[in-house]
Amino acid sequence: MAKMEVKTSLLDNMIGVGDMVLLEPLSEDSFINNLKKRFDHSEIYTYIGSVVVSINPYRPLPIYSPEKVEEYRNRNFYELSPHIFALSDEAYRSLRDQDKDQCILITGESGAGKTEASKLVMSYVAAVCGKGAEVNQVKEQLLQSNPVLEAFGNAKTVRNDNSSRFGKYMDIEFDFKGDPLGGVISNYLLEKSRVVKQPRGERNFHIFYQILSGASEDLLNKLKLERDFSRYNYLSLDSARVNGVDDAVNFRTVRNAMQIVGFMDHETQSILEVVAAVLKLGNIEFKPESRVNGLDESKIKDKNELKEICELTGIDQSVLERAFSFRTVEAKQEKVSTTLNVAQAYYARDALAKNLYSRLFSWLVTRINESIKAQTKVRKKVMGVLDIYGFEIFEDNSFEQFIINYCNEKLQQIFIELTLKEEQEEYIREDIEWTHIEYFNNAIICDLIENNQTGILAMLDEECLRPGTVTDDTFLEKLNQVCATHQHFESRMSKCSRFLNDTSLPHSCFRIQHYAGKVMYQVEGFVDKNNDLLYRDLSQAMWKANHSLIKALFPEGNPAKINLKRPPTAGSQFKASVATLMKNLQTKNPNYIRCIKPNDKKAAHIFNEALVCHQVRYLGLLENVRVRRAGYAFRQPYELCLERYKMLCKQTWPHWRGPARAGVEVLFNELEIPEEEYSFGRSKIFIRNPRTLFKLEDLRKQRLEDLATLIQKIYRGWKCRTHFLLMKRSQIVIASWCRRYAQQKKYQRIKSSAIVVQSYIRGWKARKLLRELKHQKRCKEAATTIAAYWHGTQVRKCQQTFSVSRPAFGAKVLQKRQREMFLNSLNYLTSISLCCTHFNSCNLENQDILLYLWFCSDWFLSFSLSPLGPAVTFSALNFFYNPFSNTPQARRELRRLKEEARNKHAIAVIWAYWLGYKVRREYRKFFRANAGRKIYEFTLQKIMQKYFLEMKNKMPSLSPIDKNWPARPYLFLDSTHKELKRIFHLWRCKKYRDQFTDQQKLIYEEKLEASELFKDKKALYPASVGQPFHGAYLEISKNPKYKKLKDAVEEKIIIAEVVNKINRANGKCASRIFLLTKNNVLLADQKSGHIKSEVPLGDVTKVSMSSQNDGFFAVHLKEGSGAAGKGDFLFSSDHLIEMATKLYRTTLSQTKQKLNIEISDEFLVQFKQDKVCVKFIQGNQKNGNIPTCKRKNNRLLEVAVP
């Protein structure tokens, strides 16, 4: 989420007007329009001076995060946008720093968000006060007391899913540092009548449903309860489940909160047992029985429930049974016992249930106070938070609404008094002349109700206490006698009433003109509810219980403490509580939060101007604005005013060196503002008219634009200069690098040239030296050759001379040399013989011996090639065989040896080749397998490459309906071919879908939904495929005929179509306008446009239709809902498929549950209390293809279709 712009004043970036005191012109319409404008921009808080007006958004907003808490912490009240945190911070800082006790009064009607506002105040104070283990424990206990009280004191009403049915005032106590020490809670007027009876569409207190939903089976068995809500008469079934509320989870939260607050396990168990006993009391039923003396008495029908109640509470069954059947009246020394008839027995049962629950709630508050009260005796600072019911105006207003509205009259009185007192104190403190302010004082209304002699409450108490027959009618007669002349009291018999002939004011009613408007009260039940009697027999039975908690709740049942004095009435108790509350509030500095409910549907983004206007009137907000504006509309400290507007004057801009007041005087004189438009106080400037303030704001806005232009000019100049200097530095750096690069390149070229020249010179020198060396070598070789030839010539000459002159000597020398050679050969052959012997001893193979002999023979042959070798060798061999003869036999032997040597060599070569062949044969199989796999992979790769290249050229078109696909070339590619076809089809479908606009996507989604719902099920479906879904067939916004209908429908219309509504009694048709919106289904008259019926989508359970080719369908409603009074609806339409599809999708979107679509030629519908079978038959139609309906009997409706 983008970071929000930080504001430095309430006047910055205002949406509408943040403070209603500045609203110009001031009227009811402008007031409402300003609230609506801010509400549409999610600005739910608005100021009226120091009063915060809060509108319930019915949705979570990101304005309560820890960052927001820090943003408003220690900030001036008007410094930031209006917020409940600003008021909480102002109250906390006044308490901590100025040592002023504070109270925060939160008022508004049910569903306006009072309980949430009190939670936000407490959470903010907990977040900004001190830290520490002990402090955190106190804060946690204070915060966790809320879930416990909400479970036992809140209930679901038609206006609010978590409505407080009691008034709560909590005093939070702080030490001198501002850390919480504890708290004290006071409760006012629990609506205990809700225990035994709830209005339609509402629930009993939360705790009953939480126990049945969240308790374990073991706990339910201990409490003798069952999980089924329908088993208990005190629980309303039509609203037992609440959307978005998980009673099981809330029950675990309450148990955890009770543990944190400090309830022991046995105390929690006792509380749950009392709740279970109250729940089971409603199941006790009575039957009449006549006695001998002719008097009627009552008996319990089924004593099973009574037995379980007695087991839970530890009461003797006979004692409790007698208390339900008899009543004992004591007067001085006499006791009279009378029987109770059935009506009186039911009254006694309900009275016991109400008293038991109400006293349990009071005990809970007392027990919580014991846990959270401050443990120290030091002086404490106190911040009170009052969360009390707002002004109530219902269709039927009774005793509860009367005393609630009385409390609000007292709060309005103290609000006006404290507001005027605060204004007057500020004027005196700032030395501003105080002028009298005209306002409506509602003290006359409070006196009408609470006067000790002639007040309505006093007369009600007097009527309850007087002997004789006392009824509600006698009470009304007394009111007509005493209050007849009062200008704020009206009845059919009063003298001030202007409605003597008006039947809208019944005889059994009276009307009071409150500050918020006129309220008519039904006098029925005033006397009984004010008496609040509980028979003494029941009190004594409760005191006899073995249950410690129940015994403590009924101390008056103790026979030793019998008090014959009549207990105080409910009205007098409440009057005393309100007086104590008012006295407490007058000792504290007040802070106000006025809560407003924007609509009755508990829906976000809906602003009902009529409803908000009604609340603005009875909250007296316009009166509050007028009181605040009667003197000066705006006031601000000099420092803040000078800081905000100093740029409008040259002398104060940019800095003012003197006092802030002098600077403001100079500023206002410079701007030539008339003196009568403002006054100077001690520390603040007071501005009389909002126009003056708005003029200052306009001048400031214009001056800020000029300053912004100047700043932009200076910034742009600085930016351009900086950019130029940066470019200049960059140019210098680039130029230096370019020059360096050029010099490096030049150096490299010179270097490479030098290297080339050097290489050529070195090559020339080397070649020259090589030629010289070659020449020297050839000279040496030539000299050697010449010397060799010369020496050879000399040797030959010498030999020839020697052989001619001394032959005998030469023969001796030769013979000596031959003998030496023979000995050498003999030694050689002896060595060979030894080697052969060694080879044999080593078991070497023949081929190895041959190889070795071949090596030796090779050496022998090489020796024979020496200069004297041939002659010596042959002579040695000859001498070996025959040393004394040189015969041909020796030569043959020599040839044989040579032949053997060559054979051995051949054998060795063949053997080596054989070994190599065996090795290659051994490893050939490995080489052959690897080569096969490589060849296979290569072939497969080439086939796949060819396949994909061919597929590239044979691809079909991108149309999703084109079913052509190239043939499969190879069998082994079958699965690949199919998968590729599937992927290509999905891809081109996606490409085709990406071309759709959002509107087209919505149309196709609806068509797809219709196909899933009706294809092959409804014969009418194929004809609807080619027809687009228009929805708004009636152009209501353009047709002036339906202007009234358009104004009545605030939501977006999804379907507007004329349908034929089937009469439930005779089957005849009547034209109706069928409207489907985001949350409702509406039926309106086609001619007048008047709305006949409105059905929430949550109440639609099923849509039924036939499988034939007709447009008949039925809309089934939830049993017990407000719209199901007459039963289900039957319609006939030409656009059945579209209507059913849109109804299905809208219901799924809103309720997150699929709407059941039943397609059958025979189904049941609910008409009032009867179930009727709708049967479709084939028949000839008189009206063409339109189906006709005929009611056969009370249980059958036939529909003839073509």
Side-chain angles (χ1 to χ4, degrees):
M1 186 175 68
K3 187 177 180 180
M4 297 179 63
E5 180 182 359
V6 178
K7 300 182 179 182
T8 59
S9 173
L10 171 70
L11 301 172
D12 286 336
N13 304 319
M14 274 198 309
I15 297 173
V17 177
D19 191 343
M20 288 294 187
V21 176
L22 304 177
L23 187 62
E24 189 68 24
L26 178 62
S27 65
E28 189 176 84
D29 291 338
S30 62
F31 191 97
I32 301 299
N33 290 334
N34 186 56
L35 286 178
K36 185 177 187 302
K37 184 177 182 181
R38 292 178 62 79
F39 179 78
D40 292 340
H41 290 80
S42 298
E43 294 284 346
I44 63 172
Y45 296 112
T46 307
Y47 290 156
I48 302 178
S50 60
V51 178
V52 175
V53 179
S54 170
I55 302 180
N56 192 344
Y58 287 117
R59 60 191 175 98
L61 294 176
I63 58 174
Y64 306 110
S65 61
E67 293 77 15
K68 273 289 180 184
V69 172
E70 290 300 321
E71 183 179 343
Y72 280 87
R73 187 173 186 175
N74 295 327
R75 302 293 286 270
N76 185 275
F77 185 74
Y78 295 102
E79 189 172 347
L80 300 174
S81 299
H83 202 289
I84 194 172
F85 285 170
L87 181 137
S88 305
D89 186 74
E90 184 76 11
Y92 176 71
R93 287 192 292 113
S94 297
L95 176 138
R96 183 191 62 190
D97 302 336
Q98 302 176 18
D99 203 17
K100 292 181 180 179
D101 288 348
Q102 303 290 317
C103 64
I104 299 176
L105 280 68
I106 306 172
T107 56
E109 73 171 48
S110 179
K114 302 186 298 298
T115 303
E116 289 301 319
S118 66
K119 290 180 183 178
L120 290 171
V121 170
M122 294 177 64
S123 63
Y124 179 84
V125 173
V128 300
C129 64
K131 310 296 181 185
E134 186 175 349
V135 173
N136 289 339
Q137 182 182 359
V138 172
K139 290 192 292 185
E140 188 67 17
Q141 286 185 336
L142 290 173
L143 294 176
Q144 290 300 322
S145 65
N146 281 324
V148 179
L149 294 178
E150 285 183 13
F152 287 86
N154 288 24
K156 188 260 183 191
T157 65
V158 292
R159 297 185 175 184
N160 186 3
D161 290 343
N162 188 32
S163 176
S164 298
R165 306 319 299 162
F166 70 104
K168 181 180 73 172
Y169 178 75
M170 173 182 281
D171 270 335
I172 308 174
E173 300 172 338
F174 298 85
D175 62 7
F176 69 95
K177 302 190 299 297
D179 295 340
L181 298 173
V184 179
I185 299 174
S186 303
N187 67 301
Y188 301 95
L189 190 66
L190 177 72
E191 188 189 12
K192 57 185 176 183
S193 61
R194 181 173 292 272
V195 174
V196 298
K197 184 179 179 181
Q198 304 91 42
R200 184 179 181 85
E202 298 189 2
R203 292 205 316 176
N204 211 323
F205 292 101
H206 292 327
I207 188 62
F208 295 113
Y209 304 92
Q210 291 174 0
I211 289 178
L212 297 181
S213 299
S216 62
E217 294 295 336
D218 182 52
L219 179 57
L220 286 178
N221 292 334
K222 290 181 181 178
L223 299 178
K224 304 186 184 304
L225 296 177
E226 297 180 18
R227 209 173 287 279
D228 186 8
F229 294 161
S230 62
R231 292 276 300 159
Y232 305 100
N233 297 332
Y234 279 167
L235 298 185
S236 174
L237 298 180
D238 56 345
S239 301
R241 302 288 182 186
V242 181
N243 292 334
V245 176
D246 192 335
D247 290 317
V249 173
N250 291 341
F251 180 69
R252 291 192 289 271
T253 303
V254 171
R255 293 289 297 268
N256 183 54
M258 294 177 75
Q259 186 176 4
I260 293 174
V261 171
F263 285 87
M264 301 299 178
D265 290 341
H266 71 275
E267 290 178 323
T268 304
Q269 183 66 24
S270 299
I271 293 169
L272 297 180
E273 288 172 354
V274 174
V275 174
V278 172
L279 199 56
K280 297 184 75 64
L281 273 174
N283 292 347
I284 296 179
E285 297 182 350
F286 302 93
K287 60 182 178 180
E289 199 172 277
S290 298
R291 301 183 69 182
V292 178
N293 56 6
L295 296 176
D296 291 334
E297 66 174 338
S298 62
K299 291 292 183 182
I300 297 175
K301 287 184 180 180
D302 183 7
K303 297 183 180 181
N304 226 359
E305 295 286 349
L306 182 66
K307 178 182 178 183
E308 292 183 350
I309 292 174
C310 293
E311 290 176 357
L312 275 173
T313 57
I315 303 175
D316 188 352
Q317 183 174 345
S318 61
V319 173
L320 187 57
E321 184 178 359
R322 175 175 175 78
F324 280 133
S325 302
F326 294 89
R327 178 187 179 189
T328 303
V329 180
E330 297 184 18
K332 295 184 179 179
Q333 302 300 325
E334 297 182 2
K335 288 185 180 181
V336 179
S337 180
T338 60
T339 60
L340 301 178
N341 58 29
V342 172
Q344 291 172 333
Y346 276 116
Y347 174 83
R349 180 200 69 177
D350 292 344
L352 176 61
K354 291 188 289 186
N355 273 273
L356 191 57
Y357 191 83
S358 126
R359 297 184 186 202
L360 172 65
F361 187 78
S362 300
W363 181 87
L364 270 174
V365 174
T366 305
R367 179 64 182 81
I368 291 173
N369 286 336
E370 292 177 1
S371 297
I372 65 176
K373 67 180 180 181
Q375 303 298 326
T376 59
K377 301 294 183 180
V378 297
R379 182 179 176 275
K380 297 176 282 289
K381 305 175 184 179
V382 177
M383 175 185 290
V385 180
L386 177 65
D387 174 12
I388 201 165
Y389 16 62
F391 202 88
E392 292 187 350
I393 305 177
F394 298 148
E395 292 183 4
D396 296 327
N397 301 288
S398 187
F399 179 74
E400 289 85 2
Q401 283 70 45
F402 174 73
I403 57 178
I404 285 173
N405 293 342
Y406 160 62
C407 179
N408 278 272
E409 287 284 357
K410 295 294 290 182
L411 288 174
Q412 177 69 9
Q413 184 181 21
I414 194 173
F415 170 68
I416 295 295
E417 290 177 358
L418 292 177
T419 302
L420 289 175
K421 181 182 177 182
E422 182 184 0
E423 284 286 298
Q424 187 174 6
E425 287 178 352
E426 184 172 19
Y427 277 50
I428 294 173
R429 186 170 58 250
E430 294 292 331
D431 199 15
I432 301 293
E433 183 179 356
W434 171 258
T435 57
H436 179 70
I437 298 174
E438 294 292 337
Y439 67 96
F440 170 70
N441 190 348
N442 66 335
I444 186 172
I445 303 176
C446 296
D447 186 70
L448 170 64
I449 299 173
E450 67 181 2
N451 189 281
N452 291 329
Q453 282 77 32
T454 60
I456 295 176
L457 287 176
M459 286 185 286
L460 181 59
D461 288 346
E462 182 179 341
E463 193 69 13
C464 292
L465 296 174
R466 77 175 177 83
T469 303
V470 178
T471 64
D472 296 321
D473 293 333
T474 60
F475 165 63
L476 183 57
E477 290 176 4
K478 190 163 188 175
L479 285 182
N480 290 333
Q481 294 174 6
V482 178
C483 304
T485 58
H486 200 286
Q487 58 182 339
H488 290 277
F489 177 85
E490 298 173 1
S491 72
R492 288 179 68 93
M493 303 301 295
S494 67
K495 296 179 180 179
C496 290
S497 176
R498 297 187 298 276
F499 303 97
L500 295 177
N501 298 321
D502 188 359
T503 57
S504 65
L505 187 61
H507 288 282
S508 60
C509 298
F510 66 90
R511 182 185 288 137
I512 295 179
Q513 185 174 351
H514 291 280
Y515 77 93
K518 294 183 178 181
V519 182
M520 183 176 68
Y521 297 100
Q522 298 279 350
V523 77
E524 181 182 355
F526 262 62
V527 174
D528 287 339
K529 292 177 180 177
N530 188 51
N531 270 327
D532 195 20
L533 284 180
L534 179 66
Y535 296 149
R536 183 173 287 111
D537 301 77
L538 289 172
S539 298
Q540 292 176 353
M542 292 295 105
W543 188 84
K544 292 177 182 178
N546 292 328
H547 197 283
S548 59
L549 177 56
I550 293 180
K551 193 167 186 175
L553 295 179
F554 293 88
E556 74 276 12
N558 188 351
K561 299 180 181 179
I562 293 179
N563 186 4
L564 300 181
K565 185 179 179 180
R566 189 182 182 93
T569 61
S572 60
Q573 290 180 9
F574 187 73
K575 178 182 173 182
S577 299
V578 169
T580 304
L581 176 63
M582 297 300 114
K583 185 178 179 181
N584 191 0
L585 295 179
Q586 285 178 338
T587 62
K588 295 179 173 61
N589 184 48
N591 302 272
Y592 299 95
I593 300 174
R594 303 294 205 181
C595 298
I596 292 178
K597 180 170 62 174
N599 59 78
D600 280 327
K601 300 178 181 179
K602 296 180 279 191
H605 306 293
I606 298 178
F607 189 91
N608 189 326
E609 295 187 12
L611 179 63
V612 173
C613 180
H614 174 68
Q615 295 174 80
V616 168
R617 287 174 183 170
Y618 77 64
L619 286 173
L621 298 184
L622 276 174
E623 188 76 17
N624 188 7
V625 177
R626 292 190 180 100
V627 169
R628 187 67 190 260
R629 288 182 56 166
Y632 293 91
F634 183 77
R635 70 278 326 256
Q636 194 175 31
Y638 291 123
E639 292 79 7
L640 297 178
C641 181
L642 182 62
E643 183 66 26
R644 185 166 184 82
Y645 302 111
K646 64 182 180 180
M647 72 284 298
L648 301 180
C649 176
K650 294 182 179 179
Q651 300 179 42
T652 57
W653 178 257
H655 300 291
W656 174 257
R657 302 298 180 184
R661 173 171 177 167
V664 174
E665 291 178 354
V666 170
L667 175 64
F668 277 51
N669 291 332
E670 180 75 18
L671 296 176
E672 299 181 354
I673 298 176
E675 293 184 0
E676 62 272 11
E677 288 295 323
Y678 62 89
S679 291
F680 292 103
R682 296 181 184 275
S683 62
K684 296 180 181 179
I685 176 72
F686 288 74
I687 299 176
R688 187 179 300 276
N689 200 309
R691 287 194 297 270
T692 304
L693 180 65
F694 292 144
K695 177 184 176 182
L696 289 173
E697 284 296 313
D698 291 339
L699 292 174
R700 178 177 180 271
K701 183 177 180 180
Q702 182 179 356
R703 179 58 178 161
L704 285 177
E705 291 178 356
D706 297 339
L707 291 175
T709 304
L710 177 63
I711 293 172
Q712 287 176 350
K713 181 184 73 173
I714 296 173
Y715 171 74
R716 287 178 183 140
W718 170 83
K719 187 175 181 181
C720 290
R721 287 191 297 273
T722 304
H723 184 65
F724 168 75
L725 294 175
L726 179 61
M727 291 182 64
K728 183 178 179 181
R729 287 196 297 271
S730 302
Q731 185 270 334
I732 293 172
V733 172
I734 292 172
S736 65
W737 277 87
C738 287
R739 287 193 294 271
R740 174 186 174 187
Y741 177 77
Q743 292 299 323
Q744 285 178 343
K745 285 294 184 182
K746 182 179 179 181
Y747 167 75
Q748 289 176 357
R749 287 196 301 271
I750 295 173
K751 182 178 179 181
S752 61
S753 301
I755 291 173
V756 170
V757 172
Q758 289 176 356
S759 65
Y760 274 100
I761 293 174
R762 292 192 186 98
W764 175 75
K765 288 184 176 180
R767 287 191 295 274
K768 182 178 179 183
L769 179 60
L770 181 61
R771 286 195 298 270
E772 293 177 353
L773 292 175
K774 285 183 177 180
H775 178 69
Q776 293 176 3
K777 183 178 179 181
R778 284 196 296 271
C779 291
K780 289 181 179 179
E781 288 177 352
T784 302
T785 303
I786 295 170
Y789 274 96
W790 187 80
H791 287 302
T793 303
Q794 292 297 322
V795 168
R796 284 192 294 274
K797 285 181 180 180
C798 182
Q799 186 178 4
Q800 289 175 0
T801 306
F802 181 76
S803 61
V804 173
S805 60
R806 300 179 68 178
F809 177 77
K812 290 180 180 180
V813 171
L814 183 59
Q815 186 177 7
K816 183 180 180 179
R817 289 186 178 179
Q818 286 179 347
R819 286 179 179 173
E820 291 176 355
M821 287 300 300
F822 169 73
L823 291 175
N824 291 334
S825 298
L826 183 61
N827 291 334
Y828 168 69
L829 292 177
T830 303
S831 300
I832 290 175
S833 301
L834 293 174
C835 289
C836 289
T837 304
H838 175 71
F839 292 154
N840 290 329
S841 64
C842 295
N843 296 323
L844 296 177
E845 296 182 358
N846 294 332
Q847 56 269 27
D848 298 329
I849 300 173
L850 292 175
L851 285 173
Y852 185 78
L853 292 178
W854 166 250
F855 172 75
C856 296
S857 62
D858 219 12
W859 174 83
F860 189 74
L861 290 175
S862 63
F863 177 76
S864 65
L865 295 177
S866 60
L868 300 177
V872 174
T873 302
F874 294 150
S875 301
L877 288 175
N878 291 332
F879 185 78
F880 178 75
Y881 292 106
N882 189 4
F884 301 104
S885 69
N886 190 8
T887 62
Q889 183 180 0
R891 288 192 293 272
R892 285 196 299 271
E893 186 65 23
L894 181 59
R895 283 195 298 271
R896 187 182 65 81
L897 291 174
K898 287 184 179 181
E899 185 66 25
E900 286 180 359
R902 282 194 294 270
N903 291 340
K904 291 177 182 179
H905 181 260
I907 290 171
V909 171
I910 292 171
W911 179 250
Y913 274 99
W914 167 249
L915 291 178
Y917 170 75
K918 284 206 304 183
V919 171
R920 286 191 298 276
R921 186 177 179 183
E922 182 69 22
Y923 286 94
R924 185 176 300 164
K925 56 184 179 181
F926 301 110
F927 298 140
R928 183 175 299 167
N930 188 37
R933 185 172 68 254
K934 291 292 185 181
I935 293 170
Y936 169 77
E937 291 176 354
F938 175 77
T939 306
L940 187 62
Q941 181 180 3
K942 289 300 179 182
I943 291 175
M944 294 296 292
Q945 184 177 3
K946 180 182 178 182
Y947 166 71
F948 283 115
L949 289 175
E950 289 178 354
M951 286 294 295
K952 176 183 177 183
N953 299 325
K954 295 179 181 179
M955 279 293 177
S957 65
L958 294 180
S959 174
I961 61 175
D962 186 1
K963 296 186 178 180
N964 294 327
W965 188 248
R968 181 197 64 214
Y970 303 102
L971 181 61
F972 74 92
L973 289 175
D974 183 59
S975 59
T976 303
H977 199 67
K978 292 178 180 178
E979 182 67 15
L980 191 60
K981 179 181 178 181
R982 187 186 67 82
I983 294 172
F984 177 75
H985 180 68
L986 292 177
W987 173 78
R988 67 182 177 184
C989 288
K990 181 182 181 303
K991 296 287 287 184
Y992 185 75
R993 289 195 304 270
D994 291 343
Q995 300 172 3
F996 294 161
T997 62
D998 292 339
Q999 186 66 24
Q1000 289 174 327
K1001 288 181 180 178
L1002 181 61
I1003 292 173
Y1004 281 107
E1005 285 176 1
E1006 290 179 345
K1007 285 290 186 180
L1008 181 61
E1009 196 79 60
S1011 174
E1012 294 176 354
L1013 292 174
F1014 303 109
K1015 187 177 180 181
D1016 299 331
K1017 300 177 184 177
K1018 178 73 175 172
L1020 188 65
Y1021 170 72
S1024 70
V1025 174
Q1027 299 175 358
F1029 289 172
H1030 293 297
Y1033 292 95
L1034 297 178
E1035 296 181 346
I1036 293 178
S1037 59
K1038 298 181 181 179
N1039 194 337
K1041 177 181 177 182
Y1042 301 119
K1043 184 177 185 304
K1044 182 178 179 181
L1045 180 59
K1046 176 191 174 185
D1047 295 339
V1049 181
E1050 299 177 354
E1051 301 175 309
K1052 180 182 177 182
I1053 296 176
I1054 300 172
I1055 290 181
E1057 163 69 342
V1058 176
V1059 299
N1060 292 321
K1061 179 180 175 294
I1062 311 302
N1063 190 294
R1064 300 178 179 89
N1066 52 26
K1068 293 183 179 180
C1069 299
S1071 296
R1072 291 286 185 268
I1073 298 176
F1074 184 95
L1075 298 177
L1076 174 62
T1077 66
K1078 188 177 180 181
N1079 295 303
N1080 300 290
V1081 174
L1082 299 97
L1083 293 178
D1085 188 82
Q1086 186 181 8
K1087 296 180 180 179
S1088 64
H1090 179 69
I1091 296 178
K1092 296 287 188 180
S1093 301
E1094 182 175 358
V1095 181
L1097 288 180
D1099 292 344
V1100 179
T1101 59
K1102 185 171 65 173
V1103 174
S1104 299
M1105 63 190 71
S1106 74
S1107 60
Q1108 308 296 326
N1109 194 9
D1110 63 277
F1112 185 92
F1113 66 101
V1115 177
H1116 301 265
L1117 304 181
K1118 184 189 297 182
E1119 293 186 11
S1121 63
K1126 294 182 179 180
D1128 301 335
F1129 290 102
L1130 303 179
F1131 301 109
S1132 178
S1133 171
D1134 295 335
H1135 302 93
L1136 168 62
I1137 301 299
E1138 177 181 0
M1139 294 178 71
T1141 302
K1142 289 184 179 289
L1143 182 60
Y1144 176 85
R1145 288 173 58 84
T1146 308
T1147 305
L1148 179 61
S1149 174
Q1150 287 303 110
T1151 64
K1152 308 303 181 186
Q1153 295 179 356
K1154 292 184 178 180
L1155 181 65
N1156 187 11
I1157 304 292
E1158 179 184 5
I1159 301 177
S1160 174
D1161 290 342
E1162 189 173 325
F1163 52 82
L1164 294 176
V1165 293
Q1166 183 79 30
F1167 288 168
K1168 291 187 178 178
Q1169 303 301 325
D1170 301 329
K1171 286 191 179 293
V1172 179
C1173 176
V1174 179
K1175 187 175 182 180
F1176 292 82
I1177 60 173
Q1178 299 286 341
N1180 296 325
Q1181 305 303 313
K1182 299 178 181 179
N1183 302 328
N1185 292 330
I1186 300 176
T1188 57
C1189 303
K1190 188 175 181 181
R1191 185 74 178 265
K1192 289 293 185 181
N1193 50 49
N1194 291 337
R1195 297 295 181 180
L1196 179 61
L1197 178 69
E1198 284 189 352
V1199 182
V1201 297

